[in-house]
Amino acid sequence: MPEVTSPATPLEPGTSADPSPTPGDYGVGARFTLLPLTDRFVEVITDALAVDRPAGLEVVTDDVSTFVRGTESDVVGYLTAVIARAARTGVHTVAQVLLSRGCPGEVACEVADGVAFAPERLAPIPATGLRAAAHWSLYPLHDGPDGDHMSAIYAAIDGARERGTLTRSEHFATRLDGDLADVLTTIGDAWLTVGRSVRHVATHATISLNSPTTSSPAGDR
Amino acid sequence: MPEVTSPATPLEPGTSADPSPTPGDYGVGARFTLLPLTDRFVEVITDALAVDRPAGLEVVTDDVSTFVRGTESDVVGYLTAVIARAARTGVHTVAQVLLSRGCPGEVACEVADGVAFAPERLAPIPATGLRAAAHWSLYPLHDGPDGDHMSAIYAAIDGARERGTLTRSEHFATRLDGDLADVLTTIGDAWLTVGRSVRHVATHATISLNSPTTSSPAGDR
């Protein structure tokens, strides 16, 4: 059951910690589902997934979601480009995004248990001009006896506030609003911020664009 | 930031553990987004959300998702009824579902830290006749020094296998296939199974119905 992290995950004896593992070795990647609410959804999804992608980025789509593996910046950049392409049709589009790092349960993970690694920052993503709203959840898993994931989480919240995307706390989620690139950068940066002190980090977001429902996030900021 | 659990969450001094807290006190609930991929999405969503609901179930919809609070059986039963109603239109429909328990970050949670509580089982949900495929992730958070969440997780996996919904492990998720009621019962039962030993448990699933994309899960079972 690859989604479950455990401190008891067996590792091969003698596995050494690599301070800079490859994304594949470290289980860095995403799973996302693009949902344009239109009769033409096949056309919109197919066109969006065909955006240019960086060399080396692995993308595998099945009937439920799309798996993406590569560097953090390539993964988040590709997600932004795909969602933006779909939303530019003007169709109400929702993306469900899961970012994962540190091999929560990945069978072939070769990184020693307890080792946390994350690049400092994502590569900047240009603004898309598309307004997005998100319900976002962040799960630091297994920080060990010396873990201090709260300081990283506070830094992640500060990051969202500084970026201007933090709207408010909701039940089970934090609401973000802003340009799609800023929303995804907030989520990706938090994933990396927590990932510097916690090895296993998963984060989920439901991101909505072109919704016909009016919201008034500004008043709550 | 209500989505983040921490062992360091401050609790009021003297808060006593209640062996059978109310769902509200214990932070039991769901957040879900219903996504019918049709030009008529407003009509399909509005009609589906209007299914009969049990007395006492709290349902609040905004522009991104719908918050549900109540007993575990009422929450999962309502989700099944709503998603089934949308899928019976024949439209390709995807639901993003988050179940949460034990107040991960809920500001008003009154349950003492470390106390785990879960009813034994969900009330049975009648088969819907609708085939569903899901990518499912389960996050036990904060099991404490004496925690043994792995035994509960193995029980959850066994539960899915016994129910016949377990298809295979994927990157970052487990694939489930079966009647919508069985898929949601698998997810809900696992949430409760882990919840008997871990206080904070969140689980996410992307559930797809009426997909035009062919899959062949049976061969992998």
Side-chain angles (χ1 to χ4, degrees):
Chain A
M1 200 175 197
E3 75 287 8
V4 175
T5 289
S6 166
T9 303
L11 288 161
E12 290 185 15
T15 301
S16 65
D18 181 343
S20 183
T22 67
D25 287 342
Y26 202 71
V28 171
R31 214 170 246 294
F32 76 104
T33 304
L34 184 67
L35 300 150
L37 274 60
T38 170
D39 294 345
R40 299 179 296 108
F41 67 89
V42 172
E43 171 193 332
V44 175
I45 293 171
T46 304
D47 180 66
L49 289 174
V51 297
D52 291 339
R53 67 181 72 153
L57 191 73
E58 183 181 355
V59 179
V60 182
T61 298
D62 65 23
D63 59 321
V64 179
S65 67
T66 296
F67 168 69
V68 186
R69 179 157 56 188
T71 68
E72 291 85 349
S73 289
D74 283 352
V75 167
V76 177
Y78 177 72
L79 289 178
T80 306
V82 169
I83 298 168
R85 173 95 75 120
R88 286 205 180 94
T89 61
V91 166
H92 177 27
T93 298
V94 175
Q96 165 58 28
V97 172
L98 156 62
L99 303 177
S100 186
R101 61 184 302 104
C103 310
E106 292 279 284
V107 176
C109 187
E110 298 294 330
V111 181
D113 213 22
V115 174
F117 168 76
E120 284 298 306
R121 281 285 186 184
L122 295 177
I125 301 173
T128 62
L130 298 162
R131 187 154 187 87
H135 277 156
W136 171 40
S137 301
L138 179 62
Y139 302 114
L141 298 156
H142 177 213
D143 55 355
D146 301 322
D148 177 20
H149 64 231
M150 281 314 288
S151 63
I153 285 168
Y154 289 133
I157 296 170
D158 288 343
R161 191 177 289 111
E162 284 165 17
R163 198 170 290 278
T165 51
L166 183 68
T167 297
R168 61 176 167 264
S169 292
E170 311 249 30
H171 289 296
F172 317 140
T174 292
R175 176 163 181 138
L176 304 176
D177 286 272
D179 186 278
L180 174 64
D182 285 331
V183 167
L184 276 164
T185 300
T186 300
I187 296 165
D189 267 342
W191 176 54
L192 291 183
T193 299
V194 176
R196 288 201 282 277
S197 56
V198 180
R199 181 187 163 201
H200 307 267
V201 186
T203 185
H204 286 253
T206 300
I207 304 171
S208 173
L209 301 101
N210 306 329
S211 172
T213 305
T214 305
S215 67
S216 55
D220 292 281
R221 274 193 205 177
Chain B
M1 199 174 197
E3 76 287 8
V4 175
T5 289
S6 164
T9 302
L11 288 160
E12 290 185 14
T15 301
S16 64
D18 182 342
S20 183
T22 68
D25 286 343
Y26 201 70
V28 170
R31 214 170 245 294
F32 76 105
T33 304
L34 185 66
L35 299 151
L37 274 59
T38 170
D39 294 345
R40 299 179 295 109
F41 67 90
V42 172
E43 171 193 331
V44 175
I45 292 170
T46 304
D47 180 66
L49 289 174
V51 296
D52 290 340
R53 66 181 71 154
L57 191 73
E58 182 182 357
V59 179
V60 182
T61 298
D62 65 23
D63 60 321
V64 180
S65 67
T66 296
F67 168 69
V68 186
R69 180 158 53 191
T71 68
E72 291 85 348
S73 289
D74 283 352
V75 167
V76 178
Y78 177 71
L79 289 178
T80 306
V82 170
I83 298 169
R85 172 96 76 123
R88 286 205 180 93
T89 60
V91 166
H92 177 28
T93 297
V94 175
Q96 165 57 29
V97 172
L98 157 62
L99 302 177
S100 186
R101 62 184 302 104
C103 309
E106 291 279 283
V107 175
C109 188
E110 298 295 330
V111 181
D113 214 21
V115 174
F117 168 75
E120 284 298 306
R121 282 285 186 184
L122 296 176
I125 301 173
T128 62
L130 297 162
R131 187 155 187 86
H135 277 156
W136 170 41
S137 300
L138 178 63
Y139 302 114
L141 297 155
H142 177 214
D143 55 355
D146 301 321
D148 176 19
H149 63 232
M150 280 314 288
S151 63
I153 285 168
Y154 289 133
I157 296 170
D158 287 344
R161 191 177 288 112
E162 283 165 18
R163 197 170 290 278
T165 50
L166 182 67
T167 298
R168 62 178 166 266
S169 292
E170 312 249 29
H171 289 295
F172 317 140
T174 292
R175 176 162 182 139
L176 304 176
D177 286 271
D179 187 278
L180 174 65
D182 286 331
V183 167
L184 276 164
T185 300
T186 301
I187 295 165
D189 267 343
W191 176 54
L192 291 183
T193 299
V194 176
R196 287 202 282 276
S197 56
V198 180
R199 180 187 164 203
H200 307 268
V201 186
T203 186
H204 286 254
T206 300
I207 304 172
S208 173
L209 300 100
N210 306 330
S211 170
T213 304
T214 306
S215 67
S216 54
D220 292 280
R221 273 192 207 178

